[in-house]
Amino acid sequence: GQNIDQPTEMTATEGAIVQINCTYQTSGFNGLFWYQQHAGEAPTFLSYNVLDGLEEKGRFSSFLSRSKGYSYLLLKELQMKDSASYLCAVRDLGVGTGGFKTIFGAGTRLFVKA
Amino acid sequence: DGGITQSPKYLFRKEGQNVTLSCEQNLNHDAMYWYRQDPGQGLRLIYYSQIVNDFQKGDIAEGYSVSREKKESFPLTVTSAQKNPTAFYLCASFSRQTNTEAFFGQGTRLTVV
């Protein structure tokens, strides 16, 4: 089956850097996604990794190691508006599952303080 | 503009009633998904569909039903068999051809009264 683990909560200071880790177990890995979700709203896409390495997009970067089943999301120059939940999601193409299936972790609530 | 639309945004249901949540997309995406989110929790997969007239159960399908008669539409019915239906429901779609990120609707908040 699939399993995704990420920390429940993190706190960081405005202007700092924070790293949110995600570990996963899956049988047919087909990509890892990070989403940001503010309370009461739909998730918005941040990044996508399917090959090992670092993907950088402005203040956000995401890293993937498929052999270790590990990813992290790096947020630089934190702003108050970055206070949100960050969801790690894995797309899986398992045998007999009827195609692609995207499973989400429970999310990491990030609190940015002044 | 292309996008994915859920309606209604807020829905109230009496205990014992079935209710159907709408999800429509004009992105020409093959794959569509329904997730449930409880307060402070992540997204749990209810049902998903890769093509028209085909769908599979996710991790928490009991008490729910879906149909996929058209590519654009993937309605979710919350039946009276679902014992704790109050939650935030999210619909998503993505293109299997480009295999990029899933796009989400705005969500439907269902409350049983």
Side-chain angles (χ1 to χ4, degrees):
Chain A
Q2 301 90 16
N3 190 44
I4 300 174
D5 289 312
Q6 49 183 131
T8 304
E9 286 185 3
M10 298 183 71
T11 301
T13 304
E14 193 176 17
I17 299 173
V18 70
Q19 177 174 313
I20 303 174
N21 296 325
C22 171
T23 58
Y24 65 89
Q25 293 175 309
T26 185
S27 55
F29 180 82
N30 195 256
L32 186 141
F33 301 83
W34 284 96
Y35 286 84
Q36 180 191 62
Q37 186 181 28
H38 286 97
E41 298 180 7
T44 55
F45 170 73
L46 291 177
S47 68
Y48 169 54
N49 296 70
V50 67
L51 300 176
D52 291 351
L54 188 68
E55 294 283 340
E56 297 186 81
K57 191 186 291 186
R59 294 190 299 115
F60 297 81
S61 303
S62 58
F63 172 83
L64 175 68
S65 168
R66 289 172 296 170
S67 62
K68 295 181 180 178
Y70 168 70
S71 172
Y72 67 73
L73 178 70
L74 196 70
L75 292 76
K76 303 175 185 176
E77 302 169 14
L78 279 173
Q79 303 174 9
M80 300 297 286
K81 68 178 182 179
D82 296 329
S83 292
S85 286
Y86 292 85
L87 307 175
C88 174
V90 173
R91 183 169 290 161
D92 182 272
L93 180 56
V95 174
T97 62
F100 294 107
K101 184 173 160 181
T102 303
I103 301 298
F104 283 76
T108 299
R109 276 194 289 180
L110 175 66
F111 298 94
V112 179
K113 58 182 183 179
Chain B
D1 288 337
I4 180 166
T5 303
Q6 288 184 242
S7 61
K9 189 170 182 180
Y10 298 97
L11 188 58
F12 295 88
R13 187 195 96 173
K14 292 183 180 179
E15 281 193 43
Q17 286 183 337
N18 292 356
V19 64
T20 298
L21 282 59
S22 169
C23 179
E24 303 278 332
Q25 53 96 3
N26 60 2
L27 300 165
N28 200 33
H29 287 172
D30 294 308
M32 297 187 74
Y33 298 79
W34 274 105
Y35 293 93
R36 169 183 172 139
Q37 187 175 35
D38 293 286
Q41 305 296 313
L43 279 64
R44 291 187 290 167
L45 184 63
I46 306 172
Y47 268 98
Y48 60 111
S49 168
Q50 304 296 307
I51 56 173
V52 174
N53 293 324
D54 188 42
F55 48 83
Q56 288 77 39
K57 292 181 179 180
D59 299 319
I60 56 165
E62 186 175 351
Y64 299 98
S65 66
V66 293
S67 63
R68 188 83 189 276
E69 297 176 2
K70 298 187 300 182
K71 189 176 185 179
E72 302 80 17
S73 179
F74 191 41
L76 173 75
T77 297
V78 184
T79 75
S80 56
Q82 171 50 238
K83 296 307 177 189
N84 186 22
T86 295
F88 188 45
Y89 290 87
L90 286 158
C91 179
S93 71
F94 87 98
S95 167
R96 293 196 300 162
Q97 284 72 37
T98 58
N99 196 28
T100 52
E101 74 274 20
F103 291 79
F104 282 86
Q106 65 177 6
T108 293
R109 189 166 301 279
L110 174 65
T111 303
V112 173
V113 295

